[in-house]
Every structure is written in structure tokens, then in C-alpha cells.
Amino acid sequence: MATPGAFNDPSYHIDDLKEPKLELAYEEGHDADIPSNLGLYKPSNADLEKGTGSHPSTASGEDTVVAEVDTEAQHPTDEQDPNVVWWDGPDDPQNPMNWSMARKWGNIAALSGITFITPLASSMFAPGIPLVMSSFHETSNTLATFVVSVYLLGFAFGPLVIAPLSELYGRLRLYNICNVLFIVFTIACAESSNFNMLVGFRLLQGVVGSSPLTLGGGTIADLMPPEKRGGALAIWAMGPLVGPVAGPVVGGYLVQAKGWRWVFYLIAILSGFFSLITFIFMRETYAPVILGRKAARLRKETGNQDLRSKLDSGIPPKEFWRRSIIRPTKMLLFSPIVFFMSLFTSISYGILYLLFTTITFVFEEHYHFSSGTVGLTYIGTGVGMIIALGFLGTLSDRVIKKQQAKGAPLKPEHRLPMFLTVPGGVCMPIGLFMYGWSADKHAHWIVPIIGTAFVGVGLLTCMMTIQTYLVDAFTLHAASAMAANTVLRSIFGGLLPLAGLSMYDKLGLGWGNSLLGFIGIAIIPVPIIFKIYGERIRTSPRFQLKL
């Protein structure tokens, strides 16, 4: 059953597979010691004894190999084992890498559609908050912001369930189930008869809506070789960036014309359209699941119960759950790098969603914007993010190329250049001061919007540099490090906005946003400290974790 593959070539050294397998595992959305399209990449015994979760060979420039490719899944001995099930040759049409480009891009187009809709739903509802409060006769400022931000709490905990389930049952099944549930919960939001019902269904909407963000990168990694993956990932990643900004722009006019319930009806209609496309055109892409089903079919046809997939690690379901839930929590609590970097991004993310949930009230009350035009005020943040993305795409690569030209070993700390992290950290408090005091003094409406653009620049700059730093610092367990970051970030994004309107009532827009600006100033040193002392902390035995 086994057929020679690229990584079965005896001339391949283990180091030839090391980095591609780590990269693939992370892009698939899991740690490297969980099966990928190329098999396993597990810590060596020496690594486990040292208790490190990082990859010193890339983290500190040392030439130490701390992980090894699973020999059972990778070495040519499987070729002589008739019980190992593999692809039927290098051109096997069942292998997603061999699909036609039309079929691949069809899957990616459907995926990009649903990846745009779920982030869109996070903020599209924001301009309708005053009407919701009026409809349900609620006056609490806390509840006014919570009904928007509770969606992010679903984004915090949904991936912890969806990711391990996809490893067991495949990506397509999770997409379809979550798409259907998303439509159901969205319609339930539109039909809510009381405020508590709306909040509850918003939370469930966020849980299942996290599916395309959790699994999308993995689907693209299943389909595209590395040299063609960048463009597909860029298209897919536009959804999470554009959706939260475009949502209020459309939602503002829709609320004005049809009322707040039609925001949910429109989301349900769009989600239904893309869900139908997903159901018709998308196919399973996760190789371990495809080969597992093939092995099961062959066992039934041949009666040979010893047949097994070459990518079957034998990891029991309980172990998948443990790694998906316990490991990120452990890293968040006991790794100073993960904790403080996650805290930095979480505070920034919470401030962003505090603005998202209160900006409607600010511009309607202070500038007398209508429900339609108030949605346009979110464009400033989006423009700032796009500007930051352009700078990051060019300047961050220069740092890496400069180090390579010197022949110096690359370190994760190179992902935290001072000329990006310092201006990025400063931009957010500058934007908050500008936004708060200009609105407080009733300056022209363009001034506070420019302030939100500065916030967008600062947020995206810091988040992107920190995320790439975490990936490089915890290469083997990069997905768990990012999961820890996502959970804490989404919790802050869901809870910090609850204080927004009450804070503005007590302190005013000027001092309220100044308080947020001072918090922003207080966290500026975090990436600077890890730029200087990060390597010492990573390599210190005191902070090594047994993962």
C-alpha cells in the first residue's frame, strides 16, 4: 500500500524536513507533534528532559536539534510494510495537493467568503445598539456594550473545541456544521424577544463563527505548496481585517433603513449563500483524515484489520483535547513571554473594541450623526490598519534580509525591531488622546476619526510583530502559544468594552480616553524589554516548561 513520497527519499536528512514540517504544522493550526500532511514532528527525549517548548536551533542560533521527525511515519521502512496505507503514487488525484487549480481556488473562494462573514458579524451590529436598548427598554451602559462584545467571548473559546474536533473528523465536516449553526443562531438573534436571549445567541454565534478563522489557514496549507501559499493566505486574511471595519459602514445604513433586526437577517442571508457554496464545492482537504477513511474502507473491503494510515499517530482523542486546552493554558500562566506579550496585545485589542462599541454613541450624541452615517466613522481605524500593514510588509522583511546578509543567526528577537515596535506603541496613545480631546471639545468630526486611524496603526503594528515573535520563539508549539494569545485577547475584547460608556459618563471623553492613553503608554516597554532580554528569558532553565 505504501508508495514512495518526497520525504521517503533516503538522501533526505532529518534537518531537511525539520523547518517545513514546523511551518506546515503551524499553518494547519496545530502544534508540530500532532499529525500534518507530512506526518509528525515530535520532541526528542532530550528535549522533553530539558522541558523546553521552543526551538533553540532557530531561537538562539545554536546548532542543537531538539525535535525529530517521527521515524515510524517518515522513514522508508514503511515502504516494505504492506499494512501502511498511503497515496497511490505521487499523482494520486485524492491528494489535495494534486487537485486542479480551478478546484483548489474554488475551495479557497468558498472559504474566503465564510471567513469574511463571521468577522463582519462581530461589529456590523454596533450602529444598532441605541435602537436595541430602546426596543428592550434597557438603559444600562454595560449591557449596551456587552451585546456587541460578547461575540468575541465566543471567538475566545470556540477554537479550543473546533480545532481538536477537526483533527479527529476533518475540516469539511466542521465547516458545514458550524455554518449551519451560525445561520441558526444569527436568525435567533434577529428573532430575539428579550435582551438576555439576544446576548445568549450572540455568544453562541461567536463560538461557531470562529470556525473559518480557526481552520482556514490549515485548509490553504493542505491545498497549496509553500511557494504558492502567500497569495491565497493574503486573500483569506483580508476577511478578518476588512470585516470588522466594513461591518458598521453597511450596518449603519441598514439600521437606519430597516431596523437592527435586519442586520442579522442580512448576515444570515449572506452566510446561507456562502454556506451553500461551501456544501456544494468544498471537499475534505486534511490528509490524515482522507487517508484514515481510505484505510477504513480498505479494512472493510479486504478484511485486513492491520491496515493503517501512514499519517495515523495513534494519539487518542483525550490526548488531542488535553493538548488543545491544557497546553495553551499552561503556557499562558507559566511562560513570562507568552503571558506578557499576550497581555500587551489583549489590552490593545480590548481598547480597540471599546472604541468599536462606544463610537456610535459618541458621534450620535456629540456630532449628531444619523444611524446611517455613524457607520462611516469606523473607516478611520481600517485605514490605519491598512497603512500599518503596508509598512510591516516591507520594513519587517528588511530586518531579516539584513541579518541574513551579515551571516548572523536569526533570532525571534529580530521580529521586534525598535523602529517598528516603538512608533507602533506610541501611535495608539497618541490616537486615543487625539480622539478623546477633539471629541470632548467638539472639534471637526474628521479630527477624532484621524485619531482612530492612529489607534489602528498602533494596534496592527504591535499585534503583527508580537505574533510573529511568538511563532518564532515557540516554533514546535507555536499554535499553542498563539491559542493562548487568542484566548486572552478575545476575553479582553469581550470584557474591557463593558467599562467604556460608564467611564465616559464619569470622566468625560477627554479624560476617559486619556486614561486609556496612559495605559497604552504603560505597556509600551513590554516589547522593548523582550527585544533586549527575550533571549536570556527563553534560554533560562527557570522559565522552561514541560509541554
Side-chain angles (χ1 to χ4, degrees), residues 234-306:
I235 294 172
W236 169 75
M238 288 301 292
L241 289 175
V242 176
V245 177
V249 176
V250 178
Y253 288 106
L254 185 59
V255 167
Q256 185 176 11
K258 292 290 186 179
W260 65 268
R261 295 183 188 271
W262 262 98
V263 171
F264 293 108
Y265 287 132
L266 178 60
I267 293 171
I269 291 169
L270 293 174
S271 180
F273 172 74
F274 286 110
S275 297
L276 184 62
I277 290 178
T278 300
F279 184 79
I280 294 173
F281 294 106
M282 283 192 75
R283 294 294 180 265
E284 183 57 62
T285 62
Y286 191 44
V289 170
I290 296 174
L291 290 171
R293 292 172 182 171
K294 180 179 179 180
R297 185 181 73 251
L298 291 174
R299 283 195 296 269
K300 184 177 180 180
E301 292 174 356
T302 63
N304 182 0
Q305 298 304 310
D306 293 328

Side-chain angles (χ1 to χ4, degrees), residues 395-468:
L395 297 180
S396 61
D397 286 343
R398 289 183 186 177
V399 177
I400 303 302
K401 291 177 181 177
K402 187 176 180 180
Q403 291 298 319
Q404 289 175 333
K406 291 180 179 178
L410 296 179
K411 302 176 182 180
E413 286 70 34
H414 292 141
R415 298 293 188 180
L416 300 173
M418 293 288 192
F419 65 84
L420 284 178
T421 55
V422 173
V426 171
C427 275
M428 188 168 69
I430 287 176
L432 290 168
F433 292 137
M434 182 184 296
Y435 168 72
W437 286 109
S438 60
D440 186 81
K441 303 303 181 184
H442 298 278
H444 190 276
W445 54 264
I446 194 62
V447 181
I449 291 178
I450 292 174
T452 63
F454 275 94
V455 174
V457 170
L459 175 80
L460 192 72
T461 300
C462 294
M463 283 189 63
M464 294 300 291
T465 53
I466 286 174
Q467 285 181 351
T468 53

Side-chain angles (χ1 to χ4, degrees), residues 295-358:
R297 185 181 73 251
L298 291 174
R299 283 195 296 269
K300 184 177 180 180
E301 292 174 356
T302 63
N304 182 0
Q305 298 304 310
D306 293 328
L307 292 173
R308 59 183 176 85
S309 164
K310 188 169 187 172
L311 300 181
D312 181 11
S313 66
I315 301 175
K318 281 187 177 181
E319 183 67 8
F320 274 95
W321 289 99
R322 187 192 71 80
R323 297 184 188 192
S324 298
I325 297 175
I326 301 299
R327 183 183 284 164
T329 305
K330 193 173 181 179
M331 295 177 76
L332 183 62
L333 295 177
F334 300 111
S335 168
I337 292 178
V338 175
F339 175 76
F340 284 106
M341 287 303 207
S342 298
L343 183 64
F344 182 95
T345 57
S346 298
I347 291 173
S348 303
Y349 199 69
I351 290 173
L352 174 71
Y353 267 86
L354 187 150
L355 295 182
F356 272 1
T357 54
T358 58

Side-chain angles (χ1 to χ4, degrees), residues 22-273:
L22 289 168
E23 181 182 356
L24 180 62
Y26 170 69
E27 288 179 344
E28 287 178 343
H30 57 67
D31 287 332
D33 54 0
I34 294 177
S36 74
N37 288 357
L38 296 180
L40 287 165
Y41 189 55
K42 301 191 295 185
S44 66
N45 291 333
D47 186 38
L48 293 174
E49 289 171 4
K50 288 190 294 184
T52 178
S54 63
H55 190 316
S57 64
T58 56
S60 62
E62 297 174 4
D63 203 20
T64 305
V65 177
V66 299
E68 59 186 7
V69 180
D70 180 16
T71 55
E72 183 178 357
Q74 295 300 322
H75 280 201
T77 53
D78 277 346
E79 296 181 34
Q80 289 90 39
D81 189 345
N83 293 320
V84 173
V85 177
W86 188 231
W87 305 117
D88 296 332
D91 299 320
D92 188 347
Q94 292 188 60
N95 185 346
M97 284 288 183
N98 294 327
W99 291 356
S100 68
M101 292 306 295
R103 189 178 183 188
K104 288 182 179 183
W105 280 106
N107 277 259
I108 293 171
L111 171 64
S112 299
I114 59 175
T115 306
F116 173 74
I117 294 300
T118 55
L120 183 80
S122 69
S123 60
M124 188 174 180
F125 173 60
I129 301 175
L131 291 180
V132 172
M133 303 303 287
S134 175
S135 298
F136 294 129
H137 308 291
E138 295 284 351
T139 57
S140 169
N141 287 337
T142 302
L143 292 178
T145 52
F146 186 61
V147 71
V148 176
S149 63
V150 69
Y151 187 90
L152 293 179
L153 293 181
F155 266 41
F157 300 108
L160 296 178
V161 177
I162 292 170
L165 285 176
S166 71
E167 305 289 343
L168 297 172
Y169 303 110
R171 308 193 200 280
L172 183 62
R173 188 176 299 182
L174 267 295
Y175 282 136
N176 289 331
I177 291 174
C178 289
N179 286 345
V180 171
L181 291 176
F182 184 80
I183 296 170
V184 170
F185 294 141
T186 301
I187 294 175
C189 288
E191 295 293 327
S192 295
S193 57
N194 59 70
F195 193 82
N196 292 336
M197 184 177 177
L198 177 60
V199 169
F201 283 120
R202 279 282 288 172
L203 174 63
L204 295 174
Q205 190 187 28
V207 170
V208 297
S210 65
S211 168
L213 296 175
T214 304
L215 307 177
T219 297
I220 293 172
D222 294 340
L223 292 168
M224 293 294 190
E227 64 272 14
K228 297 181 180 179
R229 201 172 293 156
L233 284 170
I235 294 172
W236 169 75
M238 288 301 292
L241 289 175
V242 176
V245 177
V249 176
V250 178
Y253 288 106
L254 185 59
V255 167
Q256 185 176 11
K258 292 290 186 179
W260 65 268
R261 295 183 188 271
W262 262 98
V263 171
F264 293 108
Y265 287 132
L266 178 60
I267 293 171
I269 291 169
L270 293 174
S271 180
F273 172 74

